[in-house]
Amino acid sequence: DVKVTQSSRYLVKRTGEKVFLECVQDMDHENMFWYRQDPGLGLRLIYFSYDVKMKEKGDIPEGYSVSREKKERFSLILESASTNQTSMYLCASSLDRGHQPQHFGDGTRLSIL
Amino acid sequence: AQSVTQLGSHVSVSEGALVLLRCNYSSSVPPYLFWYVQYPNQGLQLLLKYTTGATLVKGINGFEAEFKKSETSFHLTKPSAHMSDAAEYFCAVSGSEGNTDKLIFGTGTRLQVFP
């Protein structure tokens, strides 16, 4: 089974801090994704990566950046955290063959105070 | 542009009753469709997927979905609800406009099961 591991289940940070969310997958998937999930809004794509050092903006990239130095690891960075970034963050991965299902981690619930 | 609409943000059923969660999609190309389930404090888990071929797709935990092109629908059903089915369910369509690896998700339906 595919395993997608997010480094923290719960995280509390202060406004203005630089925040790192880490995600690791163990199935050699080419694609990795970061979403945020908010009640009533479903999942919104922040960034995705289709190869090492390659990334594309999703629907809501403002205030975020990403890093993918190794194939198995995809990091989401909040450059200067703000209270409106309090949310559930989900990482996912998939094969690079088109129309593949994505496999999700358990999420990181991030609170910005 | 592709989109997914899930009718009803909350659905409540009694244990043993039929579960019906509605999903309609919009796509300019033949769609690839997915249903995911999210239990409290967990990530999303794939229930089933439609690619091509048979329009009735069976998934895990007794769920199934039927692709109806004429109605642009992909509704999720289960004949008899169990308490453990209480969760949030998401319908998704895979991207076609430039990137077939992206998924477009609906806003989700929360299923409550009463004893």
Side-chain angles (χ1 to χ4, degrees):
Chain A
D1 273 357
V2 177
K3 183 71 174 176
V4 179
T5 303
Q6 295 184 230
S7 55
S8 304
R9 293 298 304 275
Y10 301 93
L11 207 53
V12 180
K13 296 291 182 180
R14 297 206 173 274
T15 55
E17 281 192 69
K18 191 169 186 177
V19 180
F20 293 85
L21 303 183
E22 307 287 344
C23 175
V24 177
Q25 52 96 3
D26 66 357
M27 283 300 292
D28 204 35
H29 284 174
E30 293 84 5
N31 299 321
M32 296 189 75
F33 306 83
W34 275 107
Y35 297 90
R36 66 177 282 176
Q37 181 181 15
D38 300 289
L41 298 179
L43 276 72
R44 293 180 292 169
L45 182 64
I46 305 172
Y47 268 97
F48 74 98
S49 169
Y50 50 91
D51 202 349
V52 175
K53 297 189 185 295
M54 306 302 286
K55 61 186 179 184
E56 280 195 27
K57 293 180 180 179
D59 301 316
I60 52 164
E62 296 78 17
Y64 303 94
S65 63
V66 290
S67 173
R68 193 165 181 201
E69 297 295 321
K70 293 184 178 182
K71 190 174 185 179
E72 68 271 18
R73 185 179 298 270
F74 192 35
S75 303
L76 179 70
I77 303 156
L78 286 65
E79 297 291 344
S80 177
S82 64
T83 55
N84 63 13
Q85 292 178 309
T86 291
S87 187
M88 169 71 97
Y89 289 87
L90 292 167
C91 175
S93 70
S94 72
L95 286 167
D96 183 20
R97 296 179 191 169
H99 307 296
Q100 296 297 306
Q102 293 178 13
H103 302 266
F104 285 81
D106 283 338
T108 296
R109 190 166 294 281
L110 175 64
S111 296
I112 307 297
L113 304 179
Chain B
Q2 289 179 303
S3 65
V4 173
T5 301
Q6 291 184 241
L7 295 173
S9 58
H10 290 82
V11 170
S12 298
V13 299
S14 299
E15 193 173 19
L18 171 73
V19 175
L20 171 61
L21 304 182
R22 300 179 186 275
C23 172
N24 288 89
Y25 69 90
S26 170
S27 178
S28 58
V29 299
Y32 290 70
L33 296 157
F34 305 82
W35 273 102
Y36 284 85
V37 60
Q38 185 180 33
Y39 299 105
N41 297 317
Q42 294 186 22
L44 277 68
Q45 178 183 356
L46 181 68
L47 271 178
L48 50 81
K49 62 180 179 180
Y50 168 78
T51 53
T52 57
T55 56
L56 184 62
V57 181
K58 294 188 184 301
I60 61 172
N61 302 340
F63 284 93
E64 60 184 34
E66 186 171 11
F67 171 65
K68 291 187 177 181
K69 183 179 178 181
S70 61
E71 298 177 7
T72 61
S73 69
F74 189 57
H75 301 334
L76 182 70
T77 60
K78 182 174 180 177
S80 176
H82 192 273
M83 296 294 290
S84 60
D85 294 326
E88 190 154 23
Y89 292 80
F90 292 91
C91 182
V93 61
S94 70
S96 64
E97 290 150 8
N99 191 306
T100 58
D101 295 316
K102 291 169 64 175
L103 292 180
I104 294 98
F105 287 88
T107 52
T109 297
R110 186 168 297 279
L111 175 67
Q112 286 185 303
V113 182
F114 293 102

